[in-house]
Structures are given as C-alpha cells and as structure tokens.
C-alpha cells in the first residue's frame, strides 16, 4: 500500500528496511530464545546504522541526529519496528526516544549537553519515573504522591516508583514529583533530572514481566529517599510537569504505533510465507479460504491503523495537540497489532509458538502495548468524553414521551 509520505521519509525508510533485513534480523535470529543481546552487539549495530545513514533520524543534527521532522520519520519508525532490535539499532527505541524528545523540547542548553548528547550517541540510558505502586499514580496521574521540596539551592525528592522502564540500567531518571501540594496535581508537579547514582536512589528490584527476552528491557521499582539534586536539574518550568508530560506522551504514543505496526507487518509477512510453503489437506495452507480471509482482514485493519496514525502525526506536526486523534490511534493500533501477531502465530502452528521464528517474542512483547503510555480504558474514557461533549437534543425531540395526564 502506498501512502503520501514525505519523499525524504520514504527514502530513509527504504534504507532502514534494507538495514533491518541485512544487518539486524540475522542478529535477532541468533538471540531468539537465547536471552538479551549484549551491549557490544548493540554498539556494533549502531555503528552499522551510521554507515547506512539511518541513525537517530528524529534528532536535530546539532545533537547528533539526522534532523528529520515528525512526519518524515513515520515510515522510518515503521520499518525499524519490523525487528525487535530495529528501534534500538537506529536509536528510536523507547523509553530513550521519548526522553530525548522531552530534553529537546524543554531542556536548557546545559541539560542538553550533559544528557541529550550522550543519549543520542548511545553512551547513556534513561528512564521516565512517573508510575507509582498502589495507591499512587498510575492510570489516574492525579494520584501522584512523590514529592520534591526546595531546600536552598537544592531539591529534595521523596517517593516510591515502579514500572520505570530501563530504570535499573539508566544513567539519568526523569522523575515526576509534586512541587505545590496546595495546587491541583495537573498544575502542581514538576519533572526532575536525577542521576541514577545520586545518594538516596534505591533500585529495589527489576519487576518480572512478560516480554523483553531479546532486548533485555527491564521495568524497575525505585525508591527515592531524601534525594538531593541541584536546582538546575529541574526540567522545564516549575509546576509544568503535566504539560510537559503531555507534550512527550502524544508523540511517544504515536511512535509506539509506528514501531508496532512494523512488527505486525513482518508477523503477517512471516505467516504468509509459511502458509505458502506448508502443505496440508491436499495443498498449501495459503489456498485455504479461512486463512486467506484472516490475512485479508488483518491487511485491511493494518491499513486503517497506518492511515489513522498518519492523520494524527500530521496534526502533531502542524502544532496541534491532537489528543483525540492520538487516543484513537493508540487504542486501535494496539488491538489490531495484537490480533495480527496472534493470527500469525495461529497460521504458523507449532512454529508460531517456537523460538525459531520471532512471533513468540513478538507476542510476549506486544501485550504491553495496550497498557503502556495509557491503558485502552483511559484512552476510551477520553474519546467517550469528547463524543458526549456536543450533543444535539433536537435529534430525539420528536420521540413520544410518557404523558401522566
């Protein structure tokens, strides 16, 4: 299917597709069922990505990237998503991709030099520390309990976080904390840059979870006890944490959609190739109507996903918040991608759940998509609220009413 993507985006996407096919997928195959890739392997992939001229496409050139705009990188992220290691290899992997974007948006020049540049170069890792254990902030961010109090020229942070992706490997943590206890949380919290080796930062554990076998991605539980950081580590304006988080999360949700739709496309490509070769019941599986209709249904829904994501991406690129468009894209993409990978596994049968193909790892990885960056239910709540915000009573005024007289 052809889309009206910017020329530069399609050109770079073609290079990424070749890079993923020729360089990344062979490494992925070596690690299926064998545990995570090493840091050395990741470094080698990134060096090769630079040779292909596909490294850090979303980052401005002055910070070590290619300077592509949000609309241009859409097909690039899709192609990277075809492999579990593709996003990491070209440096468009979460959570660093979203954290780098946040630093780019609101960081000072000193913060960018200290944290953004090493992140882009692959010399550092980061975590976004917002979610808290029950009864702290989660799907309802208003329940935030972590605090940051100013003491002279320092901030003192106290709190308890978990599901901080890449938290145990991070060099810097972006911590969301209440800074005005008398204000509504949406107007009284801030984001801080906390070096992971700061006294008082305790990595309690890596939470056992589904997925992450090939990439080694962790989700950490972290306690902050009287963590002192200099006042210049405030990221963006004081009490603007939620506004900054929304600027981060809108694009981040769409980049998830881009990467995962690439994963779903490859899953279906694998299933089609397998079905065409697998002989059963007097012919190849690819000639059985049930499988052909299943593939046709997934192809239609993936086309709808790509179209929705492109529409929302253009809204974001034009400077709009596009909150409803992003929410719709996130929910629909997460469910379609999950269904696509499940269908691919079913078509491949025993080979689908085996680790010779990447489908089982795709399946373990994709389930989080309906939860991370806002659970389905949270986004549906936003969509429904908007849907019921502008009603026209005249549409039903002609209905017969109960007459007590």
């Amino acid at each position: 299917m052809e889309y009206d993507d910017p020329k530069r985006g399609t050109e770079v996407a073609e290079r990424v597709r070749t890079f993923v096919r020729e360089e990344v997928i062979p490494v992925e195959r070596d690690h299926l069922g064998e545990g995570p890739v090493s840091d050395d392997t990741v470094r080698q992939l990134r060096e090769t990505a630079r040779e292909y001229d596909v490294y850090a496409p979303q980052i401005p050139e002055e910070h070590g990237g290619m300077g592509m705009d949000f609309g241009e990188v859409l097909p690039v992220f899709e192609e990277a998503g075809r492999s579990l290691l593709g996003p990491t290899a070209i440096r468009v992997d979460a959570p660093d991709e979203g954290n780098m974007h946040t630093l780019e948006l609101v960081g000072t020049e000193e913060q960018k030099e200290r944290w953004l540049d090493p992140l882009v170069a692959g010399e550092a890792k980061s975590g976004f520390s917002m979610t808290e254990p029950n009864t702290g902030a989660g799907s309802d961010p208003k329940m935030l309990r972590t605090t940051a109090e100013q003491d002279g020229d320092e901030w003192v942070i106290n709190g308890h976080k978990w599901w901080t992706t890449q938290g145990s490997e991070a060099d810097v943590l972006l911590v969301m904390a209440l800074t005005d206890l008398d204000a509504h949380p949406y107007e009284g919290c801030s984001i801080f840059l906390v070096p992971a080796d700061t006294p008082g930062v305790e990595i309690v554990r890596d939470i056992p979870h589904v997925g992450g076998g090939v990439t080694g991605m962790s989700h950490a539980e972290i306690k902050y006890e009287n963590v002192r950081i200099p006042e210049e580590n405030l990221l963006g304006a004081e009490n603007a944490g939620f506004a900054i988080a929304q600027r981060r999360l809108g694009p981040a949700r769409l980049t998830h959609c881009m990467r995962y739709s690439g994963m779903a496309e490859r899953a279906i490509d694998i299933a089609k190739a397998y079905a065409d070769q697998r002989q059963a019941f007097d012919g190849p599986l690819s000639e059985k109507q049930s499988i052909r209709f299943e593939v046709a249904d997934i192809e239609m829904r993936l086309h709808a996903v790509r179209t929705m994501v492109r529409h929302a991406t253009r809204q974001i690129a034009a400077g709009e918040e596009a909150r409803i468009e992003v929410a719709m894209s996130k929910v629909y993409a997460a469910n379609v991608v999950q269904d696509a990978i499940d269908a691919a596994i079913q078509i491949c049968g025993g080979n689908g759940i085996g680790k010779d193909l990447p489908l089982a790892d795709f399946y373990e990885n994709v389930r989080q998509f309906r939860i991370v960056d806002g659970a389905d239910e949270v986004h549906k709540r936003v969509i429904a609220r908007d849907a019921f915000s502008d009603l026209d009573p005249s549409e039903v005024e002609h209905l017969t009413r109960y007459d007590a007289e």
Side-chain angles (χ1 to χ4, degrees):
M1 190 68 66
E2 295 293 329
Y3 299 96
D4 188 23
D5 294 323
K7 181 179 179 182
R8 187 184 183 198
T10 57
E11 290 174 348
V12 176
E14 282 298 319
R15 295 204 300 272
V16 172
R17 190 178 186 91
T18 302
F19 169 66
V20 169
R21 182 181 65 246
E22 301 295 331
E23 309 290 345
V24 180
I25 289 177
V27 176
E28 177 192 78
R29 287 177 180 148
D30 287 342
H31 289 81
L32 292 175
E34 299 294 331
V37 298
S38 67
D39 289 342
D40 284 343
T41 299
V42 171
R43 279 193 288 270
Q44 290 168 9
L45 286 173
R46 288 175 175 170
E47 285 302 316
T48 308
R50 290 182 174 93
E51 294 171 8
Y52 275 76
D53 194 20
V54 294
Y55 186 80
Q58 80 284 15
I59 299 295
E61 293 182 10
E62 61 266 30
H63 294 290
M66 297 175 63
M68 298 176 70
D69 66 34
F70 196 54
E72 289 175 328
V73 299
L74 192 160
V76 176
F77 278 51
E78 288 179 339
E79 294 298 337
R82 288 178 62 84
S83 168
L84 292 161
L85 298 175
T88 300
I90 74 166
R91 207 59 177 120
V92 299
D93 49 328
D96 288 334
E97 183 266 325
N99 293 336
M100 290 188 291
H101 180 59
T102 306
L103 280 161
E104 178 194 340
L105 284 173
V106 299
T108 64
E109 290 307 312
E110 291 77 12
Q111 289 170 345
K112 291 177 183 178
E113 181 179 355
R114 182 179 179 186
W115 298 115
L116 177 59
D117 293 349
L119 283 170
V120 175
E123 298 167 355
K125 297 180 180 180
S126 64
F128 193 78
S129 204
M130 180 178 73
T131 303
E132 299 169 339
N134 193 16
T135 54
S139 291
D140 184 356
K142 298 191 301 297
M143 297 172 68
L144 192 75
R145 296 178 63 177
T146 298
T147 62
E149 297 181 11
Q150 195 154 19
D151 182 15
D153 59 357
E154 293 182 317
W155 288 95
V156 183
I157 300 175
N158 284 281
H160 188 184
K161 304 288 189 177
W162 74 338
W163 293 111
T164 298
T165 302
Q166 199 172 247
S168 59
E169 299 89 18
D171 297 285
V172 62
L173 297 155
L174 281 68
V175 181
M176 183 172 284
L178 292 169
T179 42
D180 186 346
L181 300 182
D182 296 324
H184 188 285
Y186 286 167
E187 299 173 348
C189 81
S190 306
I191 299 176
F192 298 90
L193 293 162
V194 179
D197 59 359
T198 305
V201 176
E202 178 191 359
I203 307 298
V204 179
R205 60 171 177 151
D206 283 335
I207 303 166
H209 62 281
V210 172
V214 173
T215 61
M217 185 62 71
S218 68
H219 301 288
E221 178 184 355
I222 307 175
K223 288 186 178 179
Y224 300 89
E225 185 174 354
N226 295 321
V227 175
R228 289 182 172 270
I229 55 171
E231 58 185 354
E232 60 263 27
N233 282 32
L234 174 67
L235 182 59
E238 183 177 344
N239 296 324
F242 271 98
I244 295 168
Q246 284 302 315
R247 293 178 69 187
R248 175 191 188 276
L249 286 171
R253 286 163 178 153
L254 289 178
T255 57
H256 271 311
C257 294
M258 298 169 194
R259 290 185 292 259
Y260 275 112
S261 63
M263 180 185 289
E265 181 187 48
R266 182 164 169 232
I268 291 301
D269 285 348
I270 290 169
K272 289 185 291 187
Y274 177 85
D276 195 53
Q277 293 184 10
R278 181 68 167 102
Q279 297 285 323
F281 306 105
D282 305 317
L285 291 182
S286 60
E287 293 182 0
K288 311 306 180 188
Q289 186 180 71
S290 63
I291 288 178
R292 296 180 76 86
F293 281 8
E294 179 81 18
V295 169
D297 180 67
I298 293 297
E299 294 281 8
M300 287 187 290
R301 294 170 67 194
L302 281 174
H303 171 56
V305 166
R306 295 188 191 101
T307 302
M308 290 176 69
V309 172
R310 279 163 170 76
H311 174 252
T313 297
R314 285 164 187 153
Q315 299 291 97
I316 292 284
E320 299 181 29
E321 185 178 8
R323 191 174 185 188
I324 303 304
E325 292 89 341
V326 169
M328 288 180 172
S329 297
K330 169 67 165 59
V331 173
Y332 191 66
N335 284 270
V336 170
V337 169
Q338 179 176 286
D339 290 348
I341 294 170
D342 184 77
I345 288 175
Q346 190 71 20
I347 290 169
C348 293
N351 281 297
I353 60 174
K355 294 279 185 167
D356 290 339
L357 295 174
L359 299 179
D361 283 287
F362 284 1
Y363 191 75
E364 293 174 5
N365 187 275
V366 76
R367 187 56 185 86
Q368 66 177 321
F369 189 18
R370 292 182 54 208
I371 298 172
V372 297
D373 282 357
D376 285 359
E377 293 76 12
V378 174
H379 292 297
K380 287 181 179 179
R381 181 174 179 266
V382 171
I383 296 165
R385 184 173 60 207
D386 181 74
F388 281 91
S389 66
D390 187 19
L391 305 180
D392 182 2
S394 68
E395 292 286 1
V396 292
E397 66 182 7
H398 62 287
L399 294 180
T400 302
R401 309 290 177 176
Y402 182 83
D403 188 352
E405 296 180 3

